[in-house]
Structures are given as structure tokens and as C-alpha cells.
Amino acid sequence: MRKNTKEIRVGAVRIGGTAPISIQSMCNTDTKDVESTAKQILAMESEGVDIVRIAINNLEDAQAIPKIKEKIHVPLIADIQFDYQLALYAVEYGIDGLRLNPGNIGENWKIEKVVNACKEKGISIRVGVNSGSVKQEFLDQYNGVNAESICYSALEQIKTLESFDFHDIKVSLKSSDVRLSVEAYRRFSEMSDYPLHLGITEAGPSFKGTIKSAIGMGSLLLDGIGDTIRVSLTADPVEEVKVAKEILKSLDLRQEGINLISCPTCARTKIDLIPLVEEAEKRFSSYTDNLKIAIMGCIVNGPGEAKEADYGITGGNGKGVVFKKGEIVATVKEEELLDTLFEIIESDRNEQHS
Ligand code: SF4
């Protein structure tokens, strides 16, 4: 059962409450390079990103915001480190959300200015604590870096914003330690109803980072915790979006796109399955239809899985069968299996869309 959190917005995207769990990522381009930044965002959009964050390091970056927005279709969040003036510029130039910690902004009058600008434009703010940035007083009070010190550090940031009567807040509690992240989010979820931005920070390169992210975020999402997610990989941000989408799809929290089921292969495998599945993954990658496709290597377990899918292939000796909604619709040579499956699906899609 999903935890009921307060609903906020980033542009047109709802976060929290009953809103679908959204996918975020962050550009690694130079923000003021409008062409490169927009190109990267469009590539992320094609994989299903809902919100993109950009770093705002100077006035030129802020001035690029409207030019980037002209070329893209998803809301933008400005990542602000310390300078309240850059936050104000980002708001002035049309940003949809801010990521900042009031504790880094400094004096109260600066925070108040940012908060008032956000209120005026209906802009939400994400506050966040990384395990490496917990304040000394909380480390002392709660005996080091742990879920308690992370949570109370985040609550302090929230209280500062609330003191200016600002409540359009979402919260992240990140650590590269999966257990610590999960504990912190679970604990915080008991303490607050603000929506949560899930992330396992600095998760590492694609392979390791994907596993860490899937375990961490998957555990939380299964608990009903989390309103928006960002996978952090040392890789192209487009990869982050792909991984995030697969995490949500594997938990039935996002339906769009093909759910490809394939067997791990074994000594009974009767067709050259691995390249077949790789090719299928490529061919169906652009589909946004909510379809389950099973590609199985033999007649032992194959027909069962293939029959339960919308479409499927089961390999035999140098040949195989294609299933549709549980019925065999073709028996063809191995080398024709994928083309046949593809033609059948395409023909059904054309019929549906005509
Ligand atoms: S479906 Fe058949 S080929 Fe694939 S792993 Fe299972 S037994 Fe082996």
C-alpha cells in the first residue's frame, strides 16, 4: 500500500499523493550550451523521463533556461549549491522547480527572498541530505551517520522553509550505502508526509549502480515509499532513465513499454536465443505499448510463459512457434521467428491505430 504523501508539482508533473511515480535525471552537459543540453533532454524524454535537473552555476546558465524549455517537453529543476541569487535568476528565467538546501543559502533574508519568489510562481523545492553532508550537531546528537541523524538533518532544512510558510517541498535522503538509504527513507516516512525523492547516490558505474539502485529503490517502492526516483550512474543520463523505468516496470508501477520476458537458456535451449533476445530488445525499444512478450528457448517451460504473455516465441529444433494471446499463430524456421513475431505485432498495432 502506497504511503499517502502531500501532493506537490514540478511544472505540470504531480508528485506525491496519488500521482504516478515519476522518473527524474540530471543533465551532464554545460547548461548554457543550449543545443547539447536540449539534445540530451530529448534523448531522456524518448526513454520516459518526466523531470530533468540542470545545474545552474552562473547567470548564463539561468539565461539558457527559457531557450532550453522552448526545445523540450518536460519540466526543469535548477540545482543550486550556495548562491541565493542564482536561485532567484533561475526562477526569473522560468524554472519549474528548485533543488537547494536552505542551510547552504545562508542568512534568513536570502532564504526568504527565494521562498517568496517560489511562492509567487508556484515552484516547489527539493531539500536533501546526503550521508556525507549531515551537520555536526546531528552527528554528535545521534552518534554519527545513521538514519536518525540523516532524518533530523532533513527535518531541520524543512523547518527553515516552513518558518516562511512554505510547504511545496519534497525530500531526498541519499547515501551510497544501500542499507543506510533504505533505513533513512523508512524512518523519515514515519516522521513526515512530504513526498520523497528516492535515490542511491553515487551508486557507481552502470552494472553495479543498476543493482544497488534496484535493490535500494525496489525495497522502498515495495514498502509503498517513494514518489519520484532518480537513478545515479556514472554513465550517460539516458541510461539512468532506462534503469529507472525498468525498476518501475518490474514492480508494475509503470506500464508503458514492452515487458520482455526471456529464459536464461540452458542445455535444453533449442534455438540461438541470446542474439534473438538482444535483437528483440532493440526492435521493441521504441514501443510505448504496454505489452508482455515472452521469448523462450524450449518446449519444457517455453509454452507456459509464452502463452501467458501477449505475444511469445518458443524455440524447437531449428524452428519455433509464435504465440498470440495463448494461441499458436505461426510455426516457422528459427531464422524467421523474430521477423514473424514483429510482423504479427505490427499488424495488430496498425489495426488498433487505424
Ligand atoms: S525455457 Fe527451456 S531452454 Fe529456457 S531455460 Fe527453461 S528449460 Fe532451458
Side-chain angles (χ1 to χ4, degrees), residues 263-270 273 296-302:
C263 80
T265 72
C266 73
R268 293 194 196 95
T269 310
K270 296 294 180 203
L273 196 84
M296 310 298 289
C298 78
I299 56 164
V300 178
N301 294 328

Side-chain angles (χ1 to χ4, degrees), residues 36 42 54 62 66 109 122 141 162 168 176 233 243 291 295 312 319:
S36 304
L42 289 173
I54 51 174
W109 66 268
Q141 198 172 345
E162 286 177 337
D168 287 336
S176 55
L233 301 176
V243 172
L291 290 178
I295 302 184
K319 60 181 183 180

Side-chain angles (χ1 to χ4, degrees), residues 51-298:
I51 298 167
V52 173
R53 183 157 46 115
I54 51 174
I56 301 296
N57 292 320
N58 48 52
L59 176 58
E60 273 181 294
D61 287 345
Q63 287 168 333
I65 292 168
K67 296 174 200 156
I68 296 167
K69 285 184 73 170
E70 264 173 29
K71 297 174 187 288
I72 64 167
H73 315 89
V74 292
L76 283 182
I77 291 179
D79 193 277
I80 307 290
Q81 291 285 317
F82 301 104
D83 188 347
Y84 85 105
Q85 191 61 58
L86 290 178
L88 293 177
Y89 285 144
V91 173
E92 181 187 336
Y93 284 102
I95 206 71
D96 301 294
L98 291 181
R99 159 72 185 105
L100 59 79
N101 279 349
N104 291 341
I105 295 296
E107 295 97 316
N108 272 351
W109 66 268
K110 292 180 181 171
I111 301 169
E112 190 172 15
K113 274 195 162 199
V114 173
V115 165
N116 287 342
C118 287
K119 276 191 200 167
E120 204 175 297
K121 299 250 178 106
I123 289 171
S124 57
I125 298 178
R126 167 158 71 97
V127 300
V129 176
N130 282 7
S131 53
S133 67
V134 179
K135 271 174 72 175
Q136 191 58 45
E137 68 175 274
F138 295 108
L139 295 176
D140 295 342
Q141 198 172 345
Y142 297 100
N143 300 317
V145 178
N146 52 42
E148 294 292 305
S149 58
I150 291 174
C151 290
Y152 282 102
S153 225
L155 285 173
E156 188 195 43
Q157 305 288 336
I158 291 169
K159 274 189 199 140
T160 306
L161 293 180
E162 286 177 337
S163 71
F164 298 106
D165 197 25
F166 188 83
H167 305 276
D168 287 336
I169 301 168
K170 64 182 185 309
V171 185
S172 58
L173 311 153
K174 296 187 180 181
S175 169
S176 55
D177 182 307
V178 177
R179 273 179 194 274
L180 179 56
S181 294
V182 171
E183 275 171 34
Y185 277 110
R186 281 182 179 152
R187 181 77 184 96
F188 191 84
S189 167
E190 295 164 355
M191 296 169 146
S192 164
D193 290 333
Y194 283 116
L196 290 177
H197 167 118
L198 301 188
I200 305 296
T201 198
E202 295 135 18
S206 279
F207 179 67
K208 286 181 193 291
T210 297
I211 292 169
K212 279 189 186 178
S213 302
I215 293 171
M217 292 185 207
S219 305
L220 290 163
L221 291 166
L222 282 170
D223 286 352
I225 296 170
D227 301 285
T228 182
I229 67 171
R230 191 259 168 122
V231 169
S232 301
L233 301 176
T234 311
D236 186 331
V238 176
E239 285 303 306
E240 298 184 344
V241 179
K242 285 185 186 173
V243 172
K245 195 160 85 174
E246 281 308 313
I247 290 173
L248 294 183
K249 275 169 64 180
S250 62
L251 297 174
D252 281 335
L253 293 168
R254 194 153 176 146
Q255 262 78 41
E256 130 214 356
I258 302 295
N259 183 1
L260 188 60
I261 292 161
S262 57
C263 80
T265 72
C266 73
R268 293 194 196 95
T269 310
K270 296 294 180 203
I271 54 175
D272 195 6
L273 196 84
I274 294 172
L276 186 75
V277 170
E278 284 171 356
E279 178 60 22
E281 197 173 24
K282 270 190 225 148
R283 283 210 202 177
F284 295 120
S285 67
S286 62
Y287 280 38
T288 52
D289 314 47
N290 173 21
L291 290 178
K292 190 170 171 184
I293 299 175
I295 302 184
M296 310 298 289
C298 78

